[in-house]
């Protein structure tokens, strides 16, 4: 199997592998899966990721000239590499493709400056959680994601000993970024910001893509960073880590 960076002509194959992976992993109706594919694997969005060569990365696993798996990851401004997605075509699971994609992604993020690696996976995805635990990752925190109108807990795994809270100043006020508590973003995670180091009273969100505060959330749960355009939309789909 060959692992390489994705190119524009891979977009249809990426969508196809992601769709089959979702269909095999979840009891979701066709309309829900179609909505997820259009939300996260729209060809224009894939092209945007491919164009951002410095911070965002899509790798594909190719076997006999066919794309059979993919990983999507991002390098945040705080030197944290986060694996957002890891999909393997159900017909090729059990052949070590997911592990090979993970290892290659890990190495590439490290070469680009990542000092810490994170992975995100839904709490009820037993195989996904085991995937990270088997590689020595520790569960560092949780977040919440909305899937088809339902809220799910998402576990955050890291290879760092501890992430914790970081003190920053906003307009002369000291607040605390919780690196163990996050919301999904289109470019990179939004970390929850607290008024106190102990975690009482939420102040807003910290965009890890450009390292600025993004406090606005609308009634539908959408957060948008005014500085870089990173968006937290009220839907995210977990992947199959096989």
């Amino acid at each position: 199997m060959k692992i390489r960076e994705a190119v524009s002509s891979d977009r249809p194959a990426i969508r196809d592998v992601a769709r089959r992976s979702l269909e095999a992993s979840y009891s979701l109706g066709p309309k829900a899966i179609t909505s997820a594919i259009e939300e996260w694997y729209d060809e224009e969005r894939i092209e945007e990721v491919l164009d951002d060569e410095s911070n965002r990365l899509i790798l594909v696993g190719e076997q006999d000239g066919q794309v059979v798996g993919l990983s999507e990851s991002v390098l945040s401004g705080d030197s944290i590499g986060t694996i957002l997605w890891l999909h393997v075509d159900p017909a090729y699971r059990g052949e070590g493709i997911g592990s090979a994609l993970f290892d290659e992604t890990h190495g590439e993020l490290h070469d680009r400056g990542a000092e810490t690696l994170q992975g995100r996976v839904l709490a009820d995805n037993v195989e996904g959680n085991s995937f990270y635990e088997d590689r020595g990752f520790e569960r560092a925190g949780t977040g919440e994601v909305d899937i088809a109108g339902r809220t799910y807990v998402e576990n955050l795994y890291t290879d760092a000993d501890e992430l914790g809270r970081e003190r920053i100043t906003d307009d002369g006020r000291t607040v605390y970024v919780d690196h163990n508590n996050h919301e999904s973003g289109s470019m990179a995670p939004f970390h929850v910001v607290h008024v106190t180091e102990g975690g009482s009273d939420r102040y807003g969100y910290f965009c890890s893509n450009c390292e600025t505060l993004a406090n606005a959330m609308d009634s539908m749960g959408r957060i948008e960073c005014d500085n870089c355009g990173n968006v937290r939309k009220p839907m995210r789909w977990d992947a199959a880590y096989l």
Side-chain angles (χ1 to χ4, degrees):
M1 184 188 66
K2 176 183 179 182
I3 297 178
R4 58 173 174 79
E5 289 192 36
V7 296
S8 183
S9 60
D10 292 321
R11 290 179 299 173
I14 289 171
R15 286 169 58 90
D16 190 41
V17 169
R19 177 184 292 277
R20 291 201 297 272
S21 177
L22 290 171
E23 289 173 342
S25 301
Y26 298 97
S27 301
L28 300 169
K31 289 184 179 180
I33 290 177
T34 297
S35 177
I37 295 299
E38 293 304 319
E39 180 77 17
W40 297 106
Y41 294 101
D42 175 80
E43 292 199 14
E44 290 186 5
R45 178 189 175 275
I46 296 173
E47 192 67 39
E48 290 176 1
V49 175
L50 297 179
D51 288 342
D52 186 358
E53 297 180 354
S54 59
N55 294 324
R56 298 158 76 184
L57 174 70
I58 295 180
L59 297 180
V60 296
E62 189 177 63
Q63 190 162 300
D64 298 326
Q66 178 181 346
V67 173
V68 297
L70 66 105
S71 70
E72 181 183 350
S73 57
V74 61
L75 179 63
S76 303
D78 44 12
S79 299
I80 294 177
T82 302
I83 297 178
L84 303 172
W85 310 100
L86 188 57
H87 286 297
V88 175
D89 187 319
Y92 292 87
R93 292 180 180 179
E95 299 182 15
I97 294 171
S99 296
L101 280 165
F102 172 86
D103 291 341
E104 191 72 20
T105 302
H106 190 179
E108 184 64 32
L109 289 172
H110 177 76
D111 291 344
R112 295 187 181 198
E115 298 176 1
T116 300
L117 188 66
Q118 295 181 352
R120 301 190 327 225
V121 57
L122 291 184
D124 61 0
N125 185 337
V126 176
E127 292 165 333
N129 285 271
S130 296
F131 183 91
Y132 283 103
E133 291 168 356
D134 290 345
R135 283 154 182 78
F137 279 59
E138 298 290 337
R139 196 172 74 179
T142 61
E144 291 185 347
V145 291
D146 294 330
I147 300 178
R150 293 180 58 189
T151 300
Y152 294 81
V153 175
E154 183 181 49
N155 288 332
L156 171 68
Y157 285 89
T158 179
D159 62 355
D161 293 333
E162 184 178 0
L163 292 176
R165 294 191 171 100
E166 175 188 2
R167 183 172 62 183
I168 64 172
T169 302
D170 179 46
D171 292 332
R173 180 175 187 176
T174 299
V175 294
Y176 298 86
V177 179
D178 188 349
H179 291 289
N180 295 337
N181 195 349
H182 69 279
E183 302 282 354
S184 303
S186 59
M187 299 179 183
F190 287 98
H191 296 289
V192 174
V193 179
H194 297 284
V195 174
T196 66
E197 188 173 9
S200 63
D201 298 327
R202 183 173 296 191
Y203 182 76
Y205 293 90
F206 179 82
C207 174
S208 62
N209 188 57
C210 64
E211 298 187 291
T212 59
L213 289 166
N215 292 318
M217 175 187 284
D218 63 23
S219 60
M220 298 298 293
R222 177 186 174 97
I223 308 166
E224 183 167 4
C225 177
D226 292 334
N227 187 57
C228 69
N230 188 23
V231 177
R232 186 264 192 194
K233 297 181 180 179
M235 178 186 289
R236 180 182 180 273
W237 297 92
D238 188 52
Y241 299 86
L242 301 176

